[in-house]
């Protein structure tokens, strides 16, 4: 489905529904939209969630009939996976997550942007060798009418894995799990940004660009003598304010700080919106310009 989300081109929702787990979920746009879609009779939004954490039409549901959609999109697209759900919610079966990854493996022409507030479960699943083998077995059975394909490498070069970070507490909890997950590109969605965030040692070294540990990673003669992050680092940061009639304000200095941290580490920075009751009216310029930077993939590794 085409979308107005600035940093993507298409949305794909093989699962729908979720539960609020942190402050960033308080005014969830997806929960509000799901309630509306349920009232309109949309088949995908007839499962109700717990009223304390979810709501009408926003119960977790899987939709096998939507799995093949990207196989029909021949032109390359940048696809946000699950704009209306969290693929790594505990009620999404591991087997179904494997089917989603098999489709992504079978469609290397697309770039998939996966975002979760549950990176700990994502890390456990994607580091499971048996689960990973099941992805390749499923991928080999897809689109058999097309030309023969080489077995894609792991991590999948066309899949960007991200986590939501609304404040420092969320950063401290979620980023380590994201960095413990094999990924071609790791990214953060700091939206809604509800407080200042110091990315500290999770960004590459601004002097030598070190992202991953080498055998001599802590030798005195390594590059500039830095200590790169243990598991890798963040490759892309998206920042945005909250939207809607109950939107909480985003402070200018919070957005500036993340932009400057990214600039110092040579990490692409994307400023999505200021947010507010009418987001379009507030625009998406930061200090007089738009920031629409994306990671560039080289052999499956962000540079």
């Amino acid at each position: 489905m085409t979308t107005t989300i600035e940093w993507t081109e298409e949305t794909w929702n093989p699962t729908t529904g979720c539960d609020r787990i942190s402050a960033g979920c308080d005014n969830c746009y997806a929960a509000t939209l799901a309630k509306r879609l349920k009232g309109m009779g949309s088949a995908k939004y007839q499962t109700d969630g717990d009223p304390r954490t979810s709501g009408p039409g926003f119960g977790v549901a899987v939709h096998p009939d939507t799995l093949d959609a990207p196989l029909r999109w021949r032109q390359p697209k940048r696809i946000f996976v699950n704009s209306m759900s969290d693929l790594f919610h505990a009620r999404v079966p591991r087997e179904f997550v494997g089917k989603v990854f098999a489709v992504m493996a079978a469609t290397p022409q697309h770039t998939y942007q996966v975002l979760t507030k549950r990176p700990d479960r994502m890390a456990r699943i994607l580091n499971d060798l048996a689960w990973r083998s099941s992805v390749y077995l499923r991928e080999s059975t897809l689109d058999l009418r097309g030309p023969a394909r080489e077995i894609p490498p792991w991590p999948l070069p066309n899949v960007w894995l991200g986590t939501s970070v609304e404040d420092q507490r969320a950063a401290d909890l979620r980023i380590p799990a994201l960095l413990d997950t094999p990924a071609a590109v790791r990214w953060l969605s700091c939206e809604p940004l509800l407080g200042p965030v110091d990315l500290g040692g999770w960004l590459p070294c601004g002097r030598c660009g070190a992202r991953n540990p080498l055998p001599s990673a802590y030798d005195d003669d390594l590059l500039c003598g830095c200590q790169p992050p243990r598991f890798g680092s963040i490759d892309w940061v998206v920042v945005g304010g909250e939207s809607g009639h109950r939107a909480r304000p985003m402070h200018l200095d919070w957005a500036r700080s993340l932009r400057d941290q990214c600039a110092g580490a040579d990490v692409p920075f994307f400023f999505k919106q200021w947010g507010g009751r009418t987001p379009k009216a507030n625009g998406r310029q930061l200090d007089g310009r738009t920031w629409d930077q994306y990671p560039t993939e080289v052999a499956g590794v962000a540079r």
Side-chain angles (χ1 to χ4, degrees):
M1 180 181 294
T2 55
T3 178
T4 59
I5 298 173
E6 289 82 353
W7 43 261
T8 197
E9 297 171 333
E10 197 88 19
T11 59
W12 174 43
N13 284 286
T15 75
T16 54
C18 200
D19 287 278
R20 295 177 175 88
I21 59 171
S22 70
C25 305
D26 288 351
N27 299 321
C28 178
Y29 77 89
T32 301
L33 180 56
K35 181 179 180 181
R36 189 182 312 151
L37 291 170
K38 174 183 171 68
M40 295 168 60
S42 177
K44 291 177 72 172
Y45 299 94
Q46 297 305 311
T47 301
D48 292 339
D50 187 327
R52 297 168 298 177
T53 58
S54 183
F58 206 50
V60 175
V62 300
H63 305 285
D65 58 317
T66 67
L67 282 171
D68 64 347
L71 295 170
R72 300 193 301 269
W73 299 335
R74 297 301 177 183
Q75 294 300 315
K77 296 176 181 288
R78 194 163 54 242
I79 302 169
F80 178 21
V81 181
N82 280 357
S83 62
M84 295 293 292
S85 185
D86 188 328
L87 183 61
F88 294 97
H89 191 288
R91 288 203 291 276
V92 177
R94 290 165 63 102
E95 179 182 2
F96 193 81
V97 176
K99 292 179 179 179
V100 172
F101 269 76
V103 171
M104 296 192 289
T107 50
Q109 73 271 27
H110 302 316
T111 297
Y112 293 92
Q113 299 158 305
V114 180
L115 185 62
T116 182
K117 284 188 172 69
R118 297 162 174 85
D120 49 349
R121 186 172 190 241
M122 179 171 70
R124 289 196 301 271
I125 292 176
L126 269 66
N127 280 302
D128 185 324
L129 293 178
W131 177 88
R132 192 183 307 175
S133 296
S134 74
V135 169
Y136 285 120
L137 287 174
R138 292 189 181 97
E139 187 270 342
S140 67
T141 67
L142 294 172
D143 200 22
L144 294 180
R145 292 171 299 175
R149 297 185 302 269
E150 294 182 0
I151 296 176
W154 189 267
L156 297 178
N158 63 327
V159 177
W160 301 0
L161 300 179
T163 193
S164 300
V165 169
E166 63 264 32
D167 54 25
Q168 192 65 51
R169 180 176 182 274
D172 294 341
L173 285 173
R174 297 175 188 153
I175 293 177
L178 174 64
L179 297 185
D180 199 16
T181 305
V185 171
R186 299 180 182 90
W187 64 288
L188 303 180
S189 174
C190 301
E191 182 190 8
L193 186 59
L194 303 178
V197 175
D198 181 359
L199 294 178
W202 296 314
L203 292 175
C205 174
R207 291 174 291 174
C208 70
R211 292 174 177 269
N212 298 293
L214 303 171
S216 59
Y218 303 108
D219 290 351
D220 291 340
D221 60 350
L222 171 69
L223 302 175
C224 69
C226 70
Q227 292 190 353
R230 181 180 177 190
F231 298 113
S233 58
I234 300 303
D235 303 306
W236 188 38
V237 176
V238 175
V239 170
E242 191 168 43
S243 59
H245 69 281
R246 293 187 294 178
R248 292 161 285 185
M250 176 175 63
H251 198 288
L252 171 62
D253 289 343
W254 304 343
R256 277 178 172 162
S257 173
L258 283 168
R259 177 201 60 194
D260 294 346
Q261 291 177 61
C262 289
D266 195 26
V267 168
F269 175 82
F270 192 104
F271 188 70
K272 180 176 179 286
Q273 64 176 23
W274 280 106
R277 188 179 181 89
T278 54
K280 291 187 180 301
N282 292 329
R284 49 185 305 265
Q285 287 197 344
L286 174 60
D287 288 335
R289 59 159 286 189
T290 55
W291 302 82
D292 291 345
Q293 299 170 347
Y294 288 90
T296 300
E297 294 166 288
V298 179
V301 178
R303 295 296 182 192

